[in-house]
Amino acid sequence: MDSCGSAGAPERVRSAWERCAARGMSRDLDGPREVLPDHEVEHQRALSPLGAHVDVVADLLGVARDAAEARVAVLAGPDGTVLWRRGGRSPLGRADRLGFVEGAGWDEHGVGTNAIAQALRTGAPEELRGTEHFARSHSAWDCTSAPVRHPGSGEVLGVIDLSGPRGTATPDTRGLVRSAARVVETLLAAQAPSPPHAARGTGTPSLELRLLAEPATARVGGGDWFPLPTRSAEILALLSLRERGWSAEEMAYELYGERGTPGTVRTEIHRVRRRIGAVITTGPYRFADPTAVTSDVSRLRSALEQGDVARALNIYRQPLLRSSDLLTIEEWRSELDRETAAAVRRSGDPRIEARWSHTEMGQTYRHG
């Protein structure tokens, strides 16, 4: 693959390369743009809940028990910073020469397209082989990554990565790394109080939403996450915007404009309720108990209100319901961009400003 968007490259890779090219990045990168000093690495490690499970990950991925293993296991923070590495002397030496060291910023704007950056962007396991990497110096590597999420909120806490010489990624590698991430999430869940499956004092099951993701997802009563069709996600987003709810006529206009009818809305609401249960009431349409509903948008706003801009950027990785063209959603999307941009400016932190400027939302807001 000699140029961005070359024929035959997977769509996700072409899109990532296009983002790198739009930033003016060179494929001749000779290392990460930023490597944190040791004291800052120690600070970030102290804040991460993943540190207690580094050796478990190394054992699960085979780098702890097999001296002949050619790959390196890495745990990165939620911003892509390499926090821990495990592996033999030879593979760690190869990683050193690449700049793949503790403290290295391994997000997309730091080293271009790579598996860690892709996993952070998509929230799903990712694998890049050889020349799928943007930086030519990475083309001799295969890398497989999977995000680790908070068992309660679903927030991405970091990424597990297994990297090695080209050809070391096998058909089983993605499943191996994904399984390691699930084990860590299980261990984290065992350490924390169980999340409530129903709102206190009511029989309403809890509803958790990820609206800053593509696709949007939900889970009910602490169960498994499931993807939401765009229309269902739009309805749930609108309900979360207005606690007093929406009449059928209002919802019809929001979803379909002048051509909307209450009957069409009733059909859509029925589809949503069939999947998530009695979380939604009718007449007007609203959440039965707003206190039982949480979302990544509410966590983003909470972080901004508390002045925790770094955490806000960890949450705000993708636009609100990217595929929605509803006017209300577009206005809400712009409002989140404005609020985040203002918080970034108030922080006065050059690193925070750089992180924001390299996000899709930061670039859109700056050029909008």
Side-chain angles (χ1 to χ4, degrees), residues 28-341:
D28 295 320
L29 291 167
D30 57 3
R33 290 187 174 184
E34 182 178 31
V35 179
L36 298 181
D38 291 346
H39 72 273
E40 182 63 25
V41 174
E42 289 302 322
H43 176 66
Q44 291 206 24
R45 285 175 172 174
L47 295 175
S48 174
L50 304 183
H53 309 297
V54 175
D55 292 333
V56 171
V57 170
D59 188 57
L60 289 169
L61 298 183
V63 301
R65 61 179 180 271
D66 187 353
E69 174 59 59
R71 295 177 290 186
V72 175
V74 165
L75 270 75
D79 63 349
T81 300
V82 176
L83 297 181
W84 293 276
R85 302 185 309 168
R86 291 292 187 272
R89 179 178 299 178
S90 178
L92 285 175
R94 286 193 295 271
D96 288 345
R97 290 189 289 275
L98 195 68
F100 199 22
V101 298
E102 285 93 342
W106 223 254
D107 56 353
E108 190 171 270
H109 77 267
V111 292
T113 309
N114 68 87
I116 290 175
Q118 286 289 96
L120 286 172
R121 183 176 181 83
T122 66
E126 293 283 349
E127 186 170 85
L128 267 74
R129 300 191 181 194
T131 55
E132 290 181 339
H133 292 88
F134 183 78
R136 288 191 175 92
S137 57
H138 297 187
S139 62
W141 285 70
D142 288 347
C143 304
T144 308
S145 298
V148 178
R149 294 184 179 275
H150 187 283
S153 68
E155 181 178 340
V156 174
L157 301 174
V159 173
I160 293 173
D161 176 81
L162 185 61
S163 293
R166 187 169 183 179
T168 53
T170 70
D172 298 328
T173 303
R174 186 188 294 256
L176 177 66
V177 176
R178 182 192 295 117
S179 295
R182 298 296 85 80
V183 168
V184 172
E185 290 171 350
T186 300
L187 293 172
L188 291 170
Q191 295 172 346
S194 299
H197 287 194
R200 185 176 299 174
T202 77
T204 304
S206 63
L207 172 65
E208 299 170 73
L209 301 171
R210 292 179 188 158
L211 303 176
L212 304 174
E214 188 68 27
T217 57
R219 71 173 176 177
V220 180
D224 293 333
W225 291 93
F226 54 87
L228 293 168
T230 298
R231 183 63 79 200
S232 296
E234 289 170 338
I235 289 171
L236 292 169
L238 290 172
L239 293 175
S240 68
L241 265 177
R242 188 191 287 186
E243 189 169 318
R244 65 180 173 83
W246 303 78
S247 69
E249 291 77 11
E250 289 174 326
M251 183 68 78
Y253 184 79
E254 289 292 331
L255 295 176
Y256 302 104
E258 297 291 350
R259 60 188 176 86
T261 65
T264 304
V265 170
R266 282 193 290 271
T267 300
E268 294 288 355
I269 293 289
H270 175 71
R271 289 173 180 156
V272 176
R273 296 187 75 198
R274 187 169 55 191
R275 188 65 194 267
I276 67 174
V279 175
I280 300 175
T281 63
T282 58
Y285 295 121
R286 61 185 176 184
F287 289 128
D289 182 0
T291 65
V293 182
T294 59
S295 73
D296 48 4
V297 177
S298 63
R299 290 189 292 107
L300 167 62
R301 284 196 146 146
S302 176
L304 291 174
E305 290 170 1
Q306 295 167 13
D308 192 346
V309 187
R311 179 167 176 264
L313 295 188
N314 290 341
I315 297 169
Y316 199 15
R317 296 191 173 279
Q318 295 191 48
L320 172 69
L321 298 185
R322 183 202 305 273
S323 58
S324 174
D325 58 2
L326 296 186
L327 179 59
T328 299
I329 298 298
E330 290 179 344
E331 291 174 346
W332 193 11
R333 197 182 291 144
S334 297
E335 183 179 331
L336 291 177
D337 288 349
R338 287 194 300 271
E339 291 175 355
T340 306

